Amino acid sequence: MMKSITAALAAFFFSLPSFAQWQGDSTVAIVAYWAKGDRAVYKTEAVVKQVQDSVETVQHKSGGTAIIDVLDETDTSYVFRLSYRGLYDSLIENELVQRFSTELLDSLSMDFETDQFGSITYILQAGRSSSKMCNLLPSVKEKYEKLIPKKDKQALEELEKFAQGYNALFADSDRLTDLCYRDVKDLLKYHGERLDTTTSYTGRYTFEKVVGGQDVEAEIETWVDQEASDSTYVVIDSYASLESDALMPIMEKAVESQFRARTSDDDELQEYMDKWLEEAASTNMEVTAERHSINAIHIYTGWPVALIIEQVVRIKNDESCFDQVSLITMQYAGSSLDEPASAQ
């Protein structure tokens, strides 16, 4: 997986001035050299798919454009605004409902403060963003209720479902803030760091809801990919994994919980679990997870040029292999919403 994902990164590089800011030793510092009025536009995509014995099925796909505008700069900080354009979600089946969602989210923005290196330190006036979206929702919903034919009850029901979901999201400023923060935290994860290109760093990472909805902590390794980096770009890799001995007990509890929801008979539950455990052992069932991320950063400006995060949860035995794959990409697309990066 690591080799293929690294190869894919090459397609994300774009042309920028090659005046590097490497240190005079084996280290590289990740520093934001931004100015008020700067803009960075990113094309984003998130895909969730299942791979059953080499047969791939896409379950969910979403994406769009994320924009970072630098609103202010001082000697010790920056303020930037995150906003969106053209967000789409494959869970929305009706075209008019998709347009409703896209138009609504085009108005969503969140302001962040960073230190002088570009590392996020504070989220500004999240409540204001929440109130703005709550106030906007009814008028956008009404607009599309009028566009959808009254006889199309399925589309109207879908519109109502997503409107209710957005209303709950916008009313919860903490949840809304967290979702926006997630879109930039990995992008700016290494800002303020000085990394030795000859050293591998270890830390802790939490696999969220990896099996049975449970979070599991693991060791994560981070290093500078010297082969992919050059005098203009630094490429930072990270990798974390969970072995079967950590995940199989959680899998067992998840299976037991699911079956418990279908029966109150303890003897029936025990019989089912005994059978499941016997089958798992006889077929050498294993559950593993791994996460690999690649972050490429233009050293002279401090703008990330590409972010790739892939997570795979694998369940396999002697007879079959099942992968649950999540892939997130953010690709720099220039500083204009209308011009491609190559026009820079």
Side-chain angles (χ1 to χ4, degrees):
M1 179 185 70
M2 295 174 64
K3 183 177 180 180
S4 63
I5 201 172
T6 302
L9 183 65
F12 288 162
F13 282 161
F14 64 98
S15 176
L16 279 174
S18 57
F19 183 83
Q21 295 291 324
W22 285 84
Q23 307 304 298
D25 51 20
S26 63
T27 66
V28 58
I30 314 300
V31 179
Y33 299 100
W34 305 338
K36 182 178 179 179
D38 282 357
R39 165 175 282 185
V41 178
Y42 293 90
K43 298 300 182 182
T44 71
E45 185 176 76
V47 179
V48 177
K49 59 186 178 181
Q50 292 182 344
V51 183
Q52 178 78 47
D53 299 327
S54 301
V55 179
E56 182 178 300
T57 304
V58 175
Q59 293 182 299
H60 182 220
K61 193 173 184 178
S62 61
T65 300
I67 307 109
I68 296 178
D69 287 299
V70 180
L71 304 181
D72 197 13
E73 59 166 320
T74 70
D75 290 339
T76 58
S77 67
Y78 297 97
V79 174
F80 72 81
R81 174 166 294 164
L82 172 68
S83 59
Y84 303 91
R85 294 292 185 277
L87 295 184
Y88 66 88
D89 193 316
S90 65
L91 294 177
I92 303 177
E93 297 179 355
N94 184 274
E95 181 182 354
L96 284 173
V97 179
Q98 180 66 80
R99 284 168 53 188
F100 153 76
S101 175
T102 300
E103 181 175 327
L104 181 65
L105 296 178
D106 276 355
S107 298
L108 176 61
S109 64
M110 191 73 66
D111 293 351
F112 297 83
E113 183 178 83
T114 78
D115 59 20
Q116 67 267 38
F117 306 111
S119 178
I120 296 172
T121 57
Y122 194 68
I123 301 171
L124 302 171
Q125 298 180 319
R128 183 175 65 181
S129 295
S130 180
S131 297
K132 181 187 79 171
M133 297 306 297
C134 284
N135 293 333
L136 180 64
L137 175 58
S139 61
V140 180
K141 178 189 174 187
E142 182 180 5
K143 171 183 174 179
Y144 283 90
E145 279 179 328
K146 293 178 179 179
L147 292 175
I148 297 174
K150 287 185 170 55
K151 63 180 181 180
D152 193 347
K153 293 184 178 180
Q154 183 175 346
L156 290 169
E157 289 174 358
E158 186 177 13
L159 175 66
E160 181 64 29
K161 180 185 73 172
F162 278 95
Q164 289 180 2
Y166 283 130
N167 186 62
L169 170 62
F170 300 150
D172 187 342
S173 62
D174 289 340
R175 184 180 165 212
L176 181 63
T177 299
D178 182 62
L179 287 175
C180 292
Y181 175 64
R182 284 170 178 259
D183 284 342
V184 290
K185 72 179 180 69
D186 287 312
L187 199 65
L188 303 176
K189 177 180 177 66
Y190 299 106
H191 282 66
E193 299 283 344
R194 183 190 293 270
L195 301 175
D196 192 320
T197 59
T198 64
T199 300
S200 180
Y201 301 87
T202 58
R204 304 302 294 175
Y205 173 75
T206 299
F207 283 85
E208 296 182 354
K209 300 178 175 57
V210 62
V211 172
Q214 184 167 331
D215 297 348
V216 184
E217 194 174 72
E219 182 176 272
I220 189 167
E221 182 181 9
T222 302
W223 68 97
V224 173
D225 187 333
Q226 295 189 59
E227 292 186 4
S229 303
D230 58 24
S231 62
T232 305
Y233 304 98
V234 59
V235 179
I236 304 168
D237 288 35
S238 72
Y239 181 78
S241 64
L242 288 166
E243 298 303 320
S244 194
D245 58 354
L247 292 179
M248 275 300 290
I250 300 172
M251 180 73 149
E252 180 182 339
K253 289 181 179 179
V255 171
E256 182 177 358
S257 178
Q258 289 178 356
F259 192 74
R260 169 63 77 185
R262 301 200 298 267
T263 182
S264 59
D265 189 316
D266 289 339
D267 291 337
E268 186 179 6
L269 174 64
Q270 188 61 53
E271 181 181 353
Y272 177 86
M273 289 306 301
D274 289 344
K275 183 178 180 180
W276 185 86
L277 289 168
E278 180 181 355
E279 182 178 350
S282 64
T283 60
N284 298 306
M285 179 183 289
E286 294 182 347
V287 185
T288 58
E290 59 180 349
R291 178 193 188 270
H292 183 209
S293 72
I294 298 177
N295 197 321
I297 302 166
H298 185 257
I299 304 169
Y300 180 58
T301 63
W303 286 116
V305 298
L307 172 66
I308 305 173
I309 302 174
E310 184 177 46
Q311 179 170 302
V312 180
V313 179
R314 173 166 293 167
I315 303 173
K316 72 172 186 176
N317 58 25
D318 294 337
E319 300 172 353
S320 65
C321 180
F322 171 85
D323 289 346
Q324 182 79 17
V325 182
S326 171
L327 179 64
I328 297 171
T329 62
M330 297 186 74
Q331 175 187 352
Y332 182 85
S335 59
S336 169
L337 291 172
D338 302 316
E339 298 178 8
S342 59
Q344 288 286 303

